[in-house]
Amino acid sequence: KIKQIAIENDGKEPSVANIKSLINNSLQDSIEVLLYQKQFGSHVVNVIKNELNITPEVFDPLEYEWFVNMRRIINLLSK
């Protein structure tokens, strides 16, 4: 099952309450992959990865080799 959960809140960094809710929901859903966009700040990602004890995977939707990037994302999500 694939479920996308936005870390941002209306294009802005989430509040502490939003991060807490995101972590609690992710624990309940047994999230296994944290895939985040390179352009997003890593501070929030580090907090989430530490709480969920998972390794985040970064991707860049603006990368020149977009096809290689899409294959990598597919491989990550198919685990």
Side-chain angles (χ1 to χ4, degrees), residues 34-49:
L34 174 58
L35 185 64
Y36 73 100
Q37 190 171 318
K38 181 179 180 179
Q39 291 76 15
F40 186 75
S42 62
H43 171 71
V44 175
V45 172
N46 286 330
V47 170
I48 294 169
K49 81 163 182 131

Side-chain angles (χ1 to χ4, degrees), residues 5-44:
I5 302 170
I7 295 175
E8 292 180 334
N9 189 8
D10 292 326
K12 301 173 189 164
E13 281 204 10
S15 67
V16 172
N18 286 14
I19 294 171
K20 185 176 178 180
S21 175
L22 178 88
I23 290 169
N24 289 337
N25 290 339
S26 297
L27 286 169
Q28 289 176 352
D29 291 340
S30 300
I31 298 298
E32 297 176 20
V33 176
L34 174 58
L35 185 64
Y36 73 100
Q37 190 171 318
K38 181 179 180 179
Q39 291 76 15
F40 186 75
S42 62
H43 171 71
V44 175

